[in-house]
Amino acid sequence: LANMSHEIRTPLNAITGMVNIIKRSGATAEQIDRLDKIDAAGHHLLEVINAILDLSKIEAGKFSLEQADVSVASLAANVVSILHDRAAAKSLKLQLETESLPHHLLGDQTRLQQALLNYVNNAIKFTEAGGVTVRIKCTEETVDSVMLRFEVQDTGIGIAAEVIPRLFSAFEQADNSTTRQYGGTGLGLAVTKRLAQLMGGDAGASSSPESGSTFWFSARLTKGGSANSAPAENRSDAEARLHAQHQGKSILVVDDDPMNLEVASMLLEDSGLRVDRASDGEAAVAMASAKDYALILMDMQMPKLDGLQATRQIRALPRAATVPILAMTANAFVEDKQRCFAAGMNDFVSKPYDPDALFVTLLKWLPES
């Protein structure tokens, strides 16, 4: 499964990346509309791949949750921000309601956001008029943990009560006509329920036909996170800040796939950075030993010397011992992240990557002038 994930993500990164490059280089309104449709299809394919892989790992008992700082407020705001345009395109009101929530929590923010995104995305898909409301509240608090409940209420088509339990089974939808009209694999809700159960909670829904629906999931988070209350980086102006603060800095991009190497290089050069390219780990080590780089983007699977070995060798170089090295790889499992960190990398960007998310990560690690 990990190998299949890598083999699908690698060309998909080139497809979505090149679409972005073409849009940035200037295109007519008609061409941009067509490129947007290619991009949407690519992201839909990625969602299907992720759901199949997640479900397979959960059912095999090999799914790992991360335990890191969680900012529930920024998580919810990010979900609303990501899907704001999609709701606006249907003239739907997308709003967030949260009560005062505990701070300094530990959990898997990525998986919490994934579950909430799935619910909100579904709500927008099945709602033609009215709006979607996201609610987050604390339902239980102990000395060392809290139980949070995430709800998404819509004014959409609704579901018959007897159908709801079946929705959370793999590959199930309300009925065949729903599948034909709205599409979907029927995996999203199954994955969400399993993720919630892995996080000590559960998932469910209440609804009736033509009266809208409320989908919910709960998760237990541990107290004890750091007091990290720094606001999330604004994705929309990350590239402008990158250009203003780090223009002319040298970046090394290491990737054995020529198309992905070209896409990453063009994106970074557009943001004002100077880019050197290496197509394998051996070349990366040689270049890092001969020149000072502000940051290195490192693929994992490469011929001659893979990204993990290359990172270890670069870390042994006096001039590169502290240079930020970021994995940029189609190996997207939690275990892959752990292997990258163990090898000496600083952060992890999975392919296919969103350019704005990449720029935010670069801002986080590029040294101040």
Side-chain angles (χ1 to χ4, degrees):
L1 282 171
N3 186 60
M4 287 306 302
S5 171
H6 178 273
E7 291 304 310
I8 295 170
R9 285 171 179 271
T10 297
L12 189 55
N13 185 68
I15 293 167
T16 58
M18 195 54 72
V19 164
N20 191 277
I21 294 293
I22 296 170
K23 287 166 66 176
R24 294 160 65 91
S25 63
T28 66
E30 183 181 40
Q31 289 169 333
I32 288 175
D33 178 64
R34 291 172 178 174
L35 289 168
D36 284 341
K37 289 171 181 173
I38 296 173
D39 195 41
H43 281 92
H44 178 67
L45 177 59
L46 178 63
E47 289 168 4
V48 173
I49 295 164
N50 286 340
I52 292 171
L53 291 170
D54 285 348
L55 191 64
S56 300
K57 291 202 74 180
I58 291 169
E59 292 185 343
K62 295 185 179 293
F63 192 91
S64 301
L65 289 169
E66 291 185 305
Q67 197 72 353
D69 292 332
V70 172
S71 170
V72 180
S74 64
L75 177 158
N78 195 38
V79 168
V80 171
S81 173
I82 289 170
L83 295 177
H84 174 270
D85 289 349
R86 191 171 299 179
K90 298 180 72 173
S91 299
L92 300 176
K93 183 178 181 181
L94 178 57
Q95 58 187 357
L96 174 63
E97 296 178 2
T98 60
E99 59 184 38
S100 179
L101 298 170
H103 298 290
H104 310 161
L105 299 175
L106 291 170
D108 194 326
Q109 177 146 329
T110 300
R111 295 305 182 176
L112 287 168
Q113 180 169 301
Q114 175 186 344
L116 190 57
L117 268 172
N118 179 51
Y119 274 176
V120 179
N121 209 9
N122 276 353
I124 294 171
K125 181 198 294 188
F126 293 109
T127 303
E128 297 303 325
V132 175
T133 301
V134 180
R135 296 190 187 91
I136 307 174
K137 51 191 173 184
C138 178
T139 58
E140 179 189 326
E141 183 169 1
T142 66
V143 175
D144 55 7
S145 70
V146 296
M147 181 72 81
L148 297 184
R149 180 180 172 98
F150 299 77
E151 294 182 353
V152 178
Q153 182 179 10
D154 64 59
T155 56
I157 60 174
I159 307 160
E162 65 271 15
V163 173
I164 289 175
R166 187 157 50 89
L167 287 179
F168 290 90
S169 300
F171 302 102
E172 291 283 1
Q173 292 229 1
D175 56 49
N176 289 334
S177 63
T178 302
T179 305
R180 284 195 298 270
Q181 183 176 351
Y182 294 99
T185 60
L187 284 173
L189 294 179
V191 170
T192 296
K193 187 178 182 72
R194 285 160 173 77
L195 287 175
Q197 290 171 338
L198 286 173
M199 292 187 281
D202 205 349
S206 58
S207 180
S208 59
E210 310 304 328
S211 299
S213 306
T214 299
F215 280 81
W216 62 268
F217 73 90
S218 55
R220 184 171 296 281
L221 302 185
T222 306
K223 292 181 178 179
S226 69
N228 179 15
S229 57
E233 188 74 51
N234 189 330
R235 290 160 57 104
S236 62
D237 65 9
E239 184 178 4
R241 285 191 56 199
L242 197 62
H243 202 285
Q245 298 174 10
H246 302 288
Q247 185 173 6
K249 289 184 178 176
S250 292
I251 304 290
L252 176 61
V253 180
V254 190
D255 199 315
D256 66 317
D257 186 278
M259 186 69 75
N260 283 314
L261 194 59
E262 181 179 358
V263 166
S265 299
M266 293 173 72
L267 276 175
L268 296 173
E269 287 166 351
D270 279 354
S271 65
L273 299 168
R274 293 180 180 175
V275 179
D276 289 345
R277 308 180 187 187
S279 57
D280 60 64
E282 276 189 3
V285 174
M287 294 171 74
S289 65
K291 179 178 177 179
D292 292 327
Y293 289 101
L295 183 142
I296 298 172
L297 288 168
M298 181 76 72
D299 192 17
M300 281 184 72
Q301 289 188 207
M302 294 182 291
K304 297 184 181 178
L305 196 68
D306 67 30
L308 301 177
Q309 294 173 299
T311 297
R312 293 187 183 99
Q313 293 189 22
I314 290 172
R315 284 284 176 246
L317 300 172
R319 74 188 309 159
T322 60
V323 61
I325 302 178
L326 280 54
M328 191 163 71
T329 173
N331 295 70
F333 288 162
V334 172
E335 304 93 296
D336 298 317
K337 292 185 181 181
Q338 293 168 345
R339 289 165 60 208
C340 288
F341 293 144
M345 296 188 192
N346 301 91
D347 213 332
F348 189 97
V349 178
S350 61
K351 298 175 183 172
Y353 52 82
D354 174 75
D356 288 335
L358 174 61
F359 296 145
V360 167
T361 306
L362 291 175
L363 278 174
K364 176 182 174 183
W365 290 105
L366 277 170
E368 294 296 330
S369 300

